[in-house]
Amino acid sequence: MKTVLVVDDSRIVRKVARRILEGLGFAVDEAENGAEALAACRSRLPDGILLDWNMPVMNGIEFLHALRSEFGLGEPRVVFCTTESELDAIQRAIEGGANEYIMKPFDAEIIESKFQQVGLL
């Protein structure tokens, strides 16, 4: 079973994402900021990460840079899921090593489509 780490400071967003991802057959872990997520990745690297941008302690782009410098560009697959809609932010995320980008709010259809696009489904 493939694993996904949901990284978001909102408990509600994590809960909704968990429900969708478990429905798609993933085992799901959660982290509420980038620092927790990096520790989780060091413990067990997931197949995919659904990543928020704006979080306390370590934000999503800081986490992404740390993840890619430590584990490389190939794995895990990272899908940003955020309210950041500026083209500059999307470009920074992709250049930083994100595989895809989802705008909040999201639904099951969007998550499934993006996860198919990055090869997780």
Side-chain angles (χ1 to χ4, degrees):
M1 177 178 287
K2 290 186 179 178
T3 58
V4 174
L5 178 62
V6 177
V7 186
D8 199 298
D9 58 327
S10 167
R11 185 181 59 78
I12 293 168
V13 170
R14 290 193 314 269
K15 183 176 181 179
V16 169
R18 172 185 283 276
R19 186 173 299 130
I20 290 168
L21 290 163
E22 286 177 344
L24 293 171
F26 291 99
V28 179
D29 289 318
E30 300 178 18
E32 61 182 68
N33 62 59
E36 282 186 15
L38 196 54
C41 288
R42 287 175 178 146
S43 175
R44 183 175 125 200
L45 197 63
D47 297 297
I49 297 174
L50 187 64
L51 179 63
D52 186 25
W53 189 298
N54 297 304
M55 298 176 289
V57 184
M58 178 188 276
N59 69 34
I61 200 75
E62 293 167 339
F63 163 76
L64 182 60
H65 289 153
L67 177 78
R68 292 307 189 206
S69 69
E70 192 165 327
F71 296 100
L73 286 175
E75 299 296 330
R77 306 295 171 117
V78 176
V79 177
F80 252 108
C81 181
T82 181
T83 58
E84 293 289 333
S85 61
E86 297 295 320
L87 185 58
D88 178 59
I90 296 169
Q91 187 174 4
R92 283 178 57 208
I94 299 301
E95 287 174 357
N99 300 95
E100 259 304 337
Y101 204 93
I102 295 174
M103 296 301 304
K104 288 180 183 176
F106 59 84
D107 61 20
E109 186 177 312
I110 292 168
I111 297 259
E112 183 175 8
S113 171
K114 293 297 182 176
F115 274 56
Q116 283 177 341
Q117 287 177 19
V118 300
L120 286 168
L121 284 173

